[in-house]
Amino acid sequence: MQRIQLQYLYRATKYVILEYQFFYSTLSGKTAFAEANHLSRSTFYSGERALAKLLKKENFYEPTSLVEDPEFTIRLHLFQLYYTLFNDIDDPFPDLDDLVTKLLDCYHQCFDRTLAPTQEVKLSFFLKVWLKRLGNQGNLTEETIKTPVTDETATGFLTQIQDLLRDTYSVSQQELDYVYYFLLSQDLVSPKDDQELAATFPLAKRLTDDFITSLQGGRIIVSRDKLNWTELRESLFSVHMQYTSFYIEPTTFTDPSKTTFFRDLYPAFDVIITRFITNLVQSHLVPVNGNSQVNLYFSYMFSLINSVPPEAVVDRVHIFVDFSQGCLYSSYVKKSLNAFDNANLVLESELSDDVDIYISDFHSKKVTAPQVVWQDPPTPNDWSNLADMILERKHSKLKQLSTTNDS
């Protein structure tokens, strides 16, 4: 389907005109370009008007990041277009392949770092769009991006870029700062300290601080000392750093129906994330549409899952196992329950008011908690019913808490 989509793009008149407008308008006249691409003058001019309407409709010139420089916005949206449509299908601008290969070689030599395939493709596409815009005299305004380059290795890399492009392109310090800004935002270089990142991406720091404050101030987390706050902060900052700078409109992890699995399994995290995204939409600090909301949901969920241990969350389900046949049977069930890694279970050693589910081979009148009675070894259906009960208990614990916080 992607290949078919790309073939339609190649044949679209508006796409030919888009490339002229953004990459060749200072290098060729309209008539000559139209003839070279087998378009009549009338077709070219009508297509130009249609493209202008389309770009306006799609808010092509509206900033979607903190940087309001018109050239930055154009480059970002072109980068989104080419990365989304061409990624893993075809390479745009083959005339730049040799030059971009040399630039990538410089990167590898300077940073002694192996890039994952997705990282290399992203960097390659970024460099190609950047070079095409430079070649068409699309330049950033002065002092648009103030990125303190304090790393000597990064400085050496940027100097090599300037030397390689000197004969063909005019590369100002502002343009080098732009490249470094991209490398930082995509975690392709490692700054010396967090202060550099905070200074370069102030809104990312603010959003991260707000998320951490929301997490600390709520009643979802019950054991704050068990969290790896440094790991969580770094993970969240990486999400916000990309989101507030070179954010690419997501085409994966955007299906809202897929969040149901995580909502059921991690209801406490769902409460935290949903509340924060709602506040983010209302704050208007950054644009948040439907796809980006879902994408942010997954990013936040994975950050929390990786950094917050189950025992630190309020939706822990306490289970007491008590088989009349003795500890042998009870130990078997406990061992099986320990395999429920993501269920956030606490296996109690004695009966108390904290117990949420009581598992035995007989019903007990002395127990007020919901009871599960297994008079035979549990079947897959028994385990499935228990899993449903655990999820139901987790949600009931959070229902009142969520209602209180929302009000």
Side-chain angles (χ1 to χ4, degrees):
M1 290 301 295
Q2 286 178 286
R3 292 183 183 278
I4 293 172
Q5 186 181 37
L6 196 56
Q7 288 303 314
Y8 273 103
L9 181 71
Y10 284 140
R11 299 174 185 179
T13 300
K14 286 195 284 290
Y15 173 68
V16 175
I17 298 172
L18 179 141
E19 289 213 315
Y20 171 79
Q21 179 175 331
F22 293 111
F23 300 131
Y24 305 107
S25 60
T26 65
L27 306 175
S28 172
K30 293 182 180 180
T31 301
F33 190 86
E35 291 177 354
N37 286 275
H38 312 290
L39 297 176
S40 66
R41 291 183 62 183
S42 60
T43 300
F44 187 92
Y45 285 111
S46 63
E48 209 172 23
R49 291 190 294 271
L51 175 64
K53 292 180 180 179
L54 178 61
L55 294 178
K56 183 178 180 180
K57 177 184 176 183
E58 297 297 327
N59 299 315
F60 185 85
Y61 297 102
E62 293 297 319
T64 53
S65 76
L66 285 181
V67 184
E68 296 185 356
D69 184 316
E71 177 60 25
F72 184 95
T73 300
I74 290 173
R75 291 180 186 180
L76 176 57
H77 291 166
L78 289 172
F79 175 48
Q80 291 176 340
L81 173 67
Y82 281 88
Y83 183 75
T84 301
L85 293 177
F86 284 76
N87 188 10
D88 234 7
I89 303 298
D90 200 1
D91 291 323
F93 316 122
D95 56 305
L96 292 175
D97 284 348
D98 290 342
L99 181 55
V100 169
T101 298
K102 293 178 181 178
L103 293 174
L104 291 176
D105 287 341
C106 287
Y107 172 87
H108 293 302
Q109 292 169 8
C110 288
F111 296 104
D112 190 24
R113 187 171 176 178
T114 301
L115 295 177
T118 54
Q119 291 177 312
E120 185 148 331
V121 168
K122 186 178 289 187
L123 180 54
S124 174
F125 278 41
F126 166 80
L127 291 172
K128 285 188 173 183
V129 170
W130 176 56
L131 292 173
K132 278 294 182 182
R133 286 298 295 169
L134 285 181
N136 198 44
Q137 298 180 21
N139 298 306
L140 296 167
T141 58
E142 290 299 321
E143 302 302 324
T144 299
I145 301 171
K146 297 179 180 178
T147 312
V149 186
T150 58
D151 184 84
E152 294 180 0
T153 304
T155 302
F157 171 63
L158 296 176
T159 300
Q160 288 192 37
I161 286 181
Q162 200 168 31
D163 291 341
L164 268 173
L165 303 180
R166 191 181 306 279
D167 295 336
T168 311
Y169 302 92
S170 175
V171 184
S172 65
Q173 184 60 47
Q174 174 68 358
E175 295 293 347
L176 294 177
D177 288 345
Y178 170 76
V179 173
Y180 186 62
Y181 188 67
F182 177 81
L183 295 177
L184 278 175
S185 71
Q186 305 301 312
D187 195 26
L188 297 177
V189 294
S190 301
K192 288 184 177 181
D193 53 55
D194 294 338
Q195 292 182 351
E196 179 179 347
L197 286 176
T200 308
F201 304 95
L203 183 53
K205 181 181 183 303
R206 175 179 173 180
L207 294 176
T208 302
D209 290 342
D210 288 347
F211 195 103
I212 294 293
T213 300
S214 175
L215 191 62
Q216 292 174 328
R219 290 183 289 165
I220 298 294
I221 303 299
V222 293
S223 300
R224 290 172 174 78
D225 58 328
K226 294 183 180 295
L227 270 71
N228 188 334
W229 292 103
T230 300
E231 179 184 27
L232 178 60
R233 179 175 289 278
E234 289 176 353
S235 177
L236 291 171
F237 186 83
S238 179
V239 171
H240 293 139
M241 184 168 57
Q242 292 193 37
Y243 195 82
T244 58
S245 56
F246 289 90
Y247 180 66
I248 302 173
E249 183 71 21
T251 56
T252 58
F253 292 94
T254 57
D255 186 349
S257 68
K258 302 301 183 183
T259 63
T260 304
F261 170 81
F262 293 96
R263 184 178 301 117
D264 289 340
L265 200 54
Y266 302 96
F269 293 163
D270 177 77
V271 170
I272 296 169
I273 294 167
T274 302
R275 186 193 316 134
F276 186 80
I277 291 178
T278 300
N279 292 337
L280 189 59
V281 172
Q282 295 173 350
S283 71
H284 302 292
L285 287 173
V286 288
V288 186
N289 59 28
N291 278 354
S292 60
Q293 282 190 45
V294 178
N295 194 253
L296 272 176
Y297 180 94
F298 284 119
S299 297
Y300 290 148
M301 181 63 73
F302 298 149
S303 294
L304 291 174
I305 291 173
N306 290 335
S307 304
V308 181
E311 60 269 22
V313 187
V314 73
D315 67 345
R316 293 174 296 181
V317 176
H318 298 254
I319 296 179
F320 183 67
V321 180
D322 180 29
F323 280 82
S324 63
Q325 290 290 335
C327 64
L328 190 63
Y329 292 83
S330 297
S331 296
Y332 160 71
V333 173
K334 288 180 180 179
K335 187 174 182 180
S336 300
L337 286 170
N338 284 327
F340 283 41
D341 293 332
N342 298 321
N344 203 1
L345 304 180
V346 178
L347 300 181
E348 297 288 0
S349 58
E350 59 183 37
L351 188 63
S352 69
D353 293 338
D354 292 331
V355 170
D356 297 297
I357 298 174
Y358 177 83
I359 302 178
S360 182
D361 49 351
F362 287 99
H363 189 275
S364 175
K365 295 181 180 179
K366 296 182 178 181
V367 178
T368 57
Q371 298 185 41
V372 173
V373 178
W374 289 340
Q375 293 185 336
D376 292 299
T379 65
N381 189 56
D382 290 329
W383 285 113
S384 177
N385 290 336
L386 176 61
D388 290 340
M389 183 180 289
I390 291 171
L391 290 177
E392 182 181 351
R393 185 60 187 142
K394 287 162 72 77
H395 282 279
S396 66
K397 282 190 167 191
L398 286 166
K399 185 176 181 180
Q400 184 177 0
L401 180 60
S402 179
T403 303
T404 302
N405 286 331
D406 290 341
S407 62

